[in-house]
Amino acid sequence: MHREDQRPRKFTWPLQAMPLARVSSLSYALLIVYISLNPFDFDFDTGVDAWAWLGAPLPRFFTLFDVSVNILAYIPLGFLLVFAAYPRWRNFVAIGIALTFSAVLAFGVETLQTWLPTRIPSQMDWWANVLGGILGGLLAIPLGPQWLSGSALRKRFDRWFGSNWVACALFLLFPWSQIYPQSSWLGTGVWDHAIFGPIDWGTTVINQVLQETIITALCWLGVALLLSMGMRTKAPQGRILGGLLCMTVFIKILFSSLQFGIEFSLLWLTAGAIWGMVIASVLLRWALKLSSTRKFCLSLFCLFTAAIAINFLPDNPYFILTLRHWYQGRLVHFNELMQWVSLAWLPVALVWVVHNKITLKPQH
């Protein structure tokens, strides 16, 4: 045997279809249907023809907000459809598939909105949806075959999470759990406010900056340690978690501008939120070096302490005032969905980390 044959060779990930993209495309399409048709109170006895919106004149007045939301909603769908079509259909054929699917889905949604008393179908919404689908497809086309086939993503996430797909899903969902407005930044698990209503503290005065600093620091330290337990020990955990925090801040700014307006997009970024992230990030560099058992205990302590503080301490009065600027508009059902994501993320994460600690060993 030649010496060259004995040398270890680098594993090459095959360029093949990405089932995750197809599942994600279907899931996102169902999400669009849910948000567009919720609460599904159809009234088919209105006497209005299903295609009446096609012949209706364009609205005399429209807002940039509504047009932007309709475009942005379909960009991820067009983007994912190009991935889902690879490798059988590529380039302009894949864009055609993204365009056709987006147009058909938007057409069906607008038609069904004819029988919803709270919705007004229009051609402008349909054209905005189609434009979003095209833009999403165009954003995906320049990516190389390693990305379109998912091999680059699989390789990256295999280095980070191995076969721990639950940790990967929690990692990807965390930024979305912060979209719904909350009194303290990164304060997931506001169950008392959503189920029973806030507690009346009367005239009690609490230092709101200190309160938000402590809650933010506890939440981020607990969440970061929890997610680190699902990563490989050799993964660059500090950089990965730092990137997650930056992505969470970016998504929060983007959706805050849609919820409250561009001038209020940074209203949530208070002194307490900034100091909490800084303190937690400094402590995290030390905490990541702890053993798995100590990280587990520290994570549970931080998250349970933060959950108690969030649900029993009074809301920031300035936060309550900012809710007056909250224009939900067409995002009302999306906000409801994001509220449930915010409520469910922490319980699911706690159940997973306890089960993972009991049954599994850390991955190397």
Side-chain angles (χ1 to χ4, degrees):
M1 180 179 296
H2 295 289
R3 183 174 299 177
E4 295 182 356
D5 295 333
Q6 296 177 351
R7 295 177 181 176
R9 297 182 178 180
K10 185 178 180 180
F11 176 73
T12 302
W13 289 76
L15 301 180
Q16 55 187 359
M18 184 164 52
L20 179 61
R22 297 174 181 178
V23 174
S24 300
S25 300
L26 178 60
S27 301
Y28 192 81
L30 293 175
L31 177 62
I32 289 177
V33 172
Y34 170 81
I35 295 175
S36 302
L37 302 180
N38 185 276
F40 302 97
D41 52 345
F42 294 99
D43 183 7
F44 296 102
D45 298 327
T46 58
V48 180
D49 187 72
W51 325 114
W53 64 276
L54 291 174
L58 293 175
R60 183 174 301 178
F61 302 102
F62 60 90
T63 63
L64 180 62
F65 174 85
D66 290 337
V67 176
S68 301
V69 167
N70 280 289
I71 294 175
L72 291 173
Y74 276 71
I75 287 179
L77 180 63
F79 187 83
L80 289 171
L81 286 171
V82 173
F83 279 79
Y86 188 88
R88 186 170 183 178
W89 297 288
R90 311 182 187 185
N91 300 327
F92 294 105
V93 178
I95 291 182
I97 293 175
L99 169 62
T100 303
F101 189 90
S102 299
V104 171
L105 178 64
F107 184 87
V109 167
E110 294 295 327
T111 301
L112 290 174
Q113 285 182 351
T114 302
W115 297 295
L116 288 175
T118 57
R119 302 302 180 100
I120 302 177
S122 70
Q123 293 186 46
M124 180 168 293
D125 292 347
W126 183 78
W127 282 110
N129 296 151
V130 173
L131 177 60
I134 296 175
L135 291 177
L138 291 174
L139 289 174
I141 288 299
L143 299 176
Q146 288 188 342
W147 287 99
L148 291 175
S149 67
S151 60
L153 288 173
R154 279 197 295 266
K155 182 167 60 175
R156 181 63 56 86
F157 278 96
D158 180 72
R159 290 176 179 174
W160 292 355
F161 298 98
S163 58
N164 204 335
W165 288 102
V166 178
C168 180
L170 291 171
F171 180 89
L172 296 174
L173 283 175
F174 178 74
W176 301 95
S177 69
Q178 303 302 314
I179 292 177
Y180 191 80
Q182 47 207 355
S183 180
S184 297
W185 170 234
L186 301 180
T188 56
V190 192
W191 307 309
D192 181 73
H193 290 45
I195 300 175
F196 305 107
I199 298 175
D200 184 10
W201 281 77
T203 59
T204 304
V205 178
I206 295 179
N207 189 322
Q208 298 296 336
V209 176
L210 180 61
Q211 175 182 324
E212 187 171 11
T213 300
I214 294 174
I215 291 177
T216 301
L218 287 173
C219 286
W220 176 237
L221 184 59
V223 167
L225 290 176
L226 184 147
L227 292 174
S228 70
M229 286 183 283
M231 299 179 188
R232 292 183 180 272
T233 54
K234 296 182 179 180
Q237 297 180 0
R239 286 183 292 172
I240 296 171
L241 294 170
L244 175 64
L245 182 60
C246 293
M247 180 58 66
T248 305
V249 170
F250 173 77
I251 291 178
K252 180 66 173 180
I253 293 174
L254 175 62
F255 279 92
S256 293
S257 64
L258 294 175
Q259 293 167 332
F260 298 95
I262 297 178
E263 64 274 19
F264 298 110
S265 59
L266 295 176
L267 199 61
W268 57 272
L269 195 58
T270 62
I274 295 174
W275 277 111
M277 289 188 289
V278 171
I279 293 172
S281 298
V282 173
L283 293 175
L284 183 61
R285 297 186 62 181
W286 160 78
L288 288 175
K289 301 176 183 178
L290 298 175
S291 63
S292 176
T293 301
R294 292 183 177 180
K295 287 198 291 186
F296 173 78
C297 295
L298 181 58
S299 175
L300 292 185
F301 170 78
C302 291
L303 293 176
F304 276 115
T305 305
I308 293 173
I310 292 169
N311 289 280
F312 289 97
L313 291 178
D315 282 335
N316 190 328
Y318 297 102
F319 165 74
I320 298 175
L321 291 176
T322 59
L323 292 181
R324 298 179 180 179
H325 301 282
W326 188 7
Y327 171 70
Q328 298 202 46
R330 298 178 68 92
L331 290 177
V332 58
H333 302 298
F334 176 80
N335 289 328
E336 291 176 359
L337 182 63
M338 291 300 101
Q339 182 182 21
W340 282 109
V341 173
S342 178
L343 291 172
W345 192 93
L346 184 57
V348 172
L350 290 174
V351 171
W352 164 78
V353 75
V354 172
H355 177 268
N356 189 60
K357 181 64 178 176
I358 295 174
T359 61
L360 302 178
K361 297 181 180 180
Q363 301 184 63
H364 302 281

